[in-house]
């Protein structure tokens, strides 16, 4: 007998809702540690805002990918990309499989197809989702106080999304502007000034 929709929906939301409390490495401009849910929300918002700039891409599908892409971290927690190993990815994939098994019928099948497409990174939609995922991380770090950056992030900020955005002019431009902001922050710091001084009072 198929479970009532309200029952499985609430159970799934309880599991996925843990992302609201799963911290990411990045610190917000207000000095609060970013959550995975906050990241997923803004990646999805980016996709929606860019739908007219990418008319040949199914942006509704991209939004769905952006909403779901870090679902496994509700179980595993977040591991920064520069620390994640293949074993971590395997554990996360199993976590995703477990969560998706909670979804019935067409909804569950659609989610499984989306994750397969995201992992294969062959379609335009999957490529755009991945580029937005990385761009949001770069933008978020540009917003954070430079004193919170790790030494490796000074270079990573300039290269992290560079390959993913190729072939999509609007994404290439966002990447260019983000790197420009990164270089400005680094130059200010080298000049003995904190580029983020006073931002919390704005």
């Amino acid at each position: 007998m198929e479970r009532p929709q309200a029952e499985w929906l609430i159970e799934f939301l309880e599991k996925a809702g843990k992302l609201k409390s799963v911290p990411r490495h990045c610190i917000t401009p207000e000095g609060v540690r970013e959550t995975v849910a906050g990241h997923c929300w803004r990646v999805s918002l980016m996709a929606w805002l860019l739908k007219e700039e990418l008319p040949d891409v199914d942006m509704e599908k991209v939004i769905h990918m952006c909403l779901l892409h870090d679902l496994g971290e509700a179980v595993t927690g977040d591991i920064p990309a520069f620390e994640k190993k293949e074993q971590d990815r395997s554990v996360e994939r199993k976590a995703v499989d477990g969560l998706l098994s909670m979804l019935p019928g067409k909804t569950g099948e659609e989610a499984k197809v989306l994750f397969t497409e995201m992992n294969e990174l062959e379609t335009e939609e999957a490529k755009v989702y991945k580029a937005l995922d990385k761009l949001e991380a770069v933008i978020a770090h540009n917003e954070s106080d430079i004193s919170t950056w790790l030494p490796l992030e000074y270079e990573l900020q300039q290269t992290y999304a560079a390959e993913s955005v190729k072939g999509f002019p609007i994404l290439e431009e966002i990447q260019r502007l983000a790197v420009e902001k990164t270089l400005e922050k680094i130059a200010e710091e080298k000049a003995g000034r904190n580029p983020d001084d006073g931002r919390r009072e704005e």
Side-chain angles (χ1 to χ4, degrees), residues 7-24:
E7 186 178 315
W8 67 254
L9 188 145
I10 290 172
E11 185 178 347
F12 181 79
L13 287 177
E14 287 174 350
K15 298 284 188 182
K18 295 182 184 300
L19 291 176
K20 294 195 291 183
S21 301
V22 175
R24 280 169 61 86

Side-chain angles (χ1 to χ4, degrees), residues 60-126:
E60 182 175 351
K61 180 188 280 190
V62 173
I63 291 170
H64 294 169
M65 290 177 172
C66 293
L67 284 169
L68 291 172
H69 77 281
D70 279 337
L71 184 62
E73 294 181 7
V75 176
T76 66
D78 176 71
I79 300 173
F82 50 82
E83 294 180 359
K84 191 172 286 188
K85 299 177 174 60
E86 184 52 42
Q87 181 180 352
D88 300 316
R89 295 185 182 91
S90 177
V91 170
E92 188 171 330
R93 283 194 290 269
K94 289 178 182 177
V96 168
D97 290 342
L99 289 166
L100 296 187
S101 70
M102 299 171 63
L103 301 176
K106 186 177 178 181
T107 301
E109 288 305 313
E110 179 184 353
K112 290 173 186 175
V113 169
L114 280 174
F115 268 98
T116 297
E117 188 173 338
M118 283 189 277
N119 290 331
E120 291 175 349
L121 273 180
E122 293 179 354
T123 65
E124 294 295 276
E125 288 74 21

Side-chain angles (χ1 to χ4, degrees), residues 167-185:
F168 303 101
I170 183 61
L171 304 185
E172 291 175 356
E173 177 64 6
I174 294 170
Q175 158 76 2
R176 185 189 69 78
L177 291 173
V179 171
E180 189 175 283
K181 177 64 175 178
T182 293
L183 294 175
E184 287 174 2
K185 284 173 73 82

